[in-house]
């Protein structure tokens, strides 16, 4: 019988952070860090799989997302806060070391946590976002590139504000599930790129959409636009990075992010290897941006293989 995912709130650095968790920690703890437009729910398949294998799965809603508290409006979004939140969660559960699993912008705190706290990290697995020693340059991207649009104060707020939350989440999911980078033409906004007649991905149900919409109705989009989009320029330079833990990268070859400047070169050209002595990269030919939801059984198998390759070492 499958274990049930439990929910709680933890007081973490002045905010109540929502935590979904499942499993008994017989073999260790795995922390799942989501991206946008996601919340803990995007890891549901992987959480149950690692729990069944003997691990404890912990998936927080990032600060400002889902059922977690909103940071004060006067407070600037900071990548360091995300790293510090993870450390505080491990401390709250008295977890000495854990695996970090990151997706989309959740990959950044996963990588950074491993660099800052190698003694608390058993390994890092990231989906879709390679390690970058410096912020990805976006200057060469067209004016209608969705990140450029969403970085403009007020523009996404006005665009999203034309629709209800469910429609906004639906449109972003449809766009991000595609193989092309979402880019608007002149006189067009990002929400105009997919209408209600555009079908949801076959692996994403109306019930799944309801789960996301319900949580974004609670959190809104104020902080998600700040983190990650309006904080990209704050990603720290890590030109001297040297990972002391094993790193596993899974890349869907139909993920639109694969077309971002420098992403393919970082993986296929050996750039990541310079920073990660123990690196494994797996490519999924049919995998898209939401590969953990699209192909859960394959991702679960890959992830469990990585976890089992790095068992606890008795001291």
């Amino acid at each position: 019988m499958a274990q049930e995912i439990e929910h709680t709130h933890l007081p973490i650095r002045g905010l109540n952070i929502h935590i979904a968790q499942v499993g008994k920690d017989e073999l260790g703890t795995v922390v799942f860090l989501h991206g946008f437009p996601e919340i803990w729910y995007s890891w549901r398949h992987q959480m149950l799989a690692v729990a069944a294998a003997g691990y404890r799965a912990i998936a927080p809603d990032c600060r400002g997302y889902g059922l977690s508290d909103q940071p004060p409006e006067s407070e600037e979004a900071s990548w360091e806060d995300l790293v510090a939140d993870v450390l505080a969660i491990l401390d709250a559960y008295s977890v000495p070391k854990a695996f970090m699993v990151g997706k989309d912008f959740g990959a950044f705190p996963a990588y950074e946590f491993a660099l800052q706290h190698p003694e608390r990290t058993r390994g890092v697995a990231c989906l879709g976002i390679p390690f970058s020693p410096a912020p990805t340059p976006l200057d060469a991207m067209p004016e209608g590139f969705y990140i450029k649009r969403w970085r403009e104060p007020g523009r996404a707020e006005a665009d999203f504000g034309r629709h209800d939350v469910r429609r906004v989440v639906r449109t972003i999911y449809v766009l991000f599930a595609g193989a092309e980078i979402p880019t608007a033409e002149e006189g067009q906004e990002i929400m105009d790129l997919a209408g209600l007649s555009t079908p949801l991905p076959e692996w994403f149900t109306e019930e799944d959409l309801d789960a996301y919409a319900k949580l974004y109705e609670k959190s809104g989009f104020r902080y998600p636009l700040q983190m990650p989009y309006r904080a990209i320029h704050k990603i720290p330079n890590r030109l001297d990075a040297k990972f002391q833990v094993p790193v596993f990268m899974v890349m869907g070859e139909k993920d639109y992010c694969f077309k971002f400047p420098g992403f393919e070169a970082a993986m296929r050209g050996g750039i990541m290897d310079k920073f990660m002595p123990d690196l494994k990269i797996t490519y999924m030919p049919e995998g898209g941006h939401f590969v953990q939801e699209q192909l859960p059984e394959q991702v679960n198998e890959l992830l469990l293989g990585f976890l089992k390759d790095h068992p606890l070492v008795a001291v």
Side-chain angles (χ1 to χ4, degrees), residues 1 22 67 100-101 114 132 161 164 207 225 246 285 304 309:
M1 182 173 157
V22 62
L67 298 177
M100 298 291 137
V101 181
S132 176
D164 62 34
E207 290 73 25
L225 287 168
L304 287 171
D309 283 346

Side-chain angles (χ1 to χ4, degrees), residues 66-123:
L67 298 177
S68 291
D69 281 355
Q70 296 286 317
E73 286 198 33
S74 59
E75 188 177 295
E76 286 196 14
S78 160
W79 296 97
E80 187 54 42
D81 276 332
L82 305 191
V83 176
D85 287 351
V86 173
L87 180 62
I89 290 168
L90 293 188
D91 288 345
Y93 283 118
S94 299
V95 174
K97 297 182 77 167
F99 289 99
M100 298 291 137
V101 181
K103 153 82 171 55
D104 191 69
F105 84 82
F108 293 102
Y111 289 134
E112 190 65 20
F113 186 89
L115 288 171
Q116 292 187 25
H117 305 287
E119 76 288 351
R120 305 293 297 272
T121 311
R122 287 180 62 184

Side-chain angles (χ1 to χ4, degrees), residues 7-304:
H7 298 268
T8 190
H9 279 82
L10 286 180
I12 298 294
R13 304 178 59 246
L15 298 175
N16 284 315
I17 298 296
H18 170 249
I19 307 285
Q21 64 172 316
V22 62
K24 301 299 184 187
D25 195 16
E26 295 158 357
L27 298 178
T29 295
V30 186
V31 178
F32 292 91
L33 304 174
H34 67 77
F36 177 82
E38 299 163 286
I39 28 83
W40 75 268
Y41 184 81
S42 62
W43 293 115
R44 60 199 179 281
H45 304 299
Q46 289 68 48
M47 293 177 71
L48 294 172
V50 302
Y55 298 87
R56 174 202 234 169
I58 294 175
D61 282 346
C62 174
R63 55 170 49 218
Y65 278 75
L67 298 177
S68 291
D69 281 355
Q70 296 286 317
E73 286 198 33
S74 59
E75 188 177 295
E76 286 196 14
S78 160
W79 296 97
E80 187 54 42
D81 276 332
L82 305 191
V83 176
D85 287 351
V86 173
L87 180 62
I89 290 168
L90 293 188
D91 288 345
Y93 283 118
S94 299
V95 174
K97 297 182 77 167
F99 289 99
M100 298 291 137
V101 181
K103 153 82 171 55
D104 191 69
F105 84 82
F108 293 102
Y111 289 134
E112 190 65 20
F113 186 89
L115 288 171
Q116 292 187 25
H117 305 287
E119 76 288 351
R120 305 293 297 272
T121 311
R122 287 180 62 184
V124 181
C126 286
L127 310 182
I129 301 292
F131 173 73
S132 176
T136 302
L138 302 176
D139 296 348
M141 302 300 284
E143 180 276 331
F145 173 46
Y146 77 98
I147 292 181
K148 282 189 172 181
R149 290 289 185 89
W150 290 352
R151 281 176 60 78
E152 290 183 37
R155 185 156 192 169
E157 289 87 341
D159 187 15
F160 294 0
R162 297 180 295 151
H163 308 287
D164 62 34
V165 168
R166 192 177 192 275
R167 170 74 181 273
V168 173
V169 175
R170 185 189 195 280
T171 300
I172 296 172
Y173 239 87
V174 167
L175 293 176
F176 283 12
E180 300 302 321
I181 296 174
T183 305
E185 300 294 333
E186 188 176 349
Q188 193 179 41
E189 297 297 332
I190 300 301
M191 288 297 106
D192 298 329
L193 296 179
L196 289 174
S197 61
T198 309
L200 287 170
E202 60 183 18
W203 42 265
F204 192 71
T205 68
E206 294 289 341
E207 290 73 25
D208 292 332
L209 178 58
D210 288 340
Y212 283 100
K214 182 180 179 181
L215 293 181
Y216 275 94
E217 282 170 359
K218 194 262 180 194
S219 68
F221 295 102
R222 180 187 69 83
Y223 189 81
L225 287 168
Q226 299 295 324
M227 175 58 71
Y229 300 104
R230 295 171 189 167
I232 287 175
H233 63 288
K234 299 179 185 175
I235 295 173
N237 285 306
R238 281 299 205 163
L239 297 171
D240 59 349
K242 186 64 71 174
F243 283 78
Q244 300 176 46
V245 301
V247 179
F248 181 40
M249 171 85 204
V250 177
M251 188 74 220
E253 293 187 86
K254 292 186 177 179
D255 185 339
Y256 72 89
C257 287
F258 204 32
K259 297 179 178 177
F260 277 18
F263 272 35
E264 186 166 6
M267 289 178 278
R268 297 200 196 275
I271 293 173
M272 286 178 67
D273 301 74
K274 298 175 182 177
F275 302 96
M276 301 166 166
D278 186 353
L279 170 66
K280 178 183 178 182
I281 301 176
T282 294
Y283 298 95
M284 299 182 70
E286 297 304 312
H289 188 64
F290 302 105
V291 68
Q292 84 282 16
E293 295 180 279
Q294 173 198 2
L295 302 169
E297 291 182 2
Q298 293 180 42
V299 171
N300 293 350
E301 183 178 351
L302 290 169
L303 179 58
L304 287 171

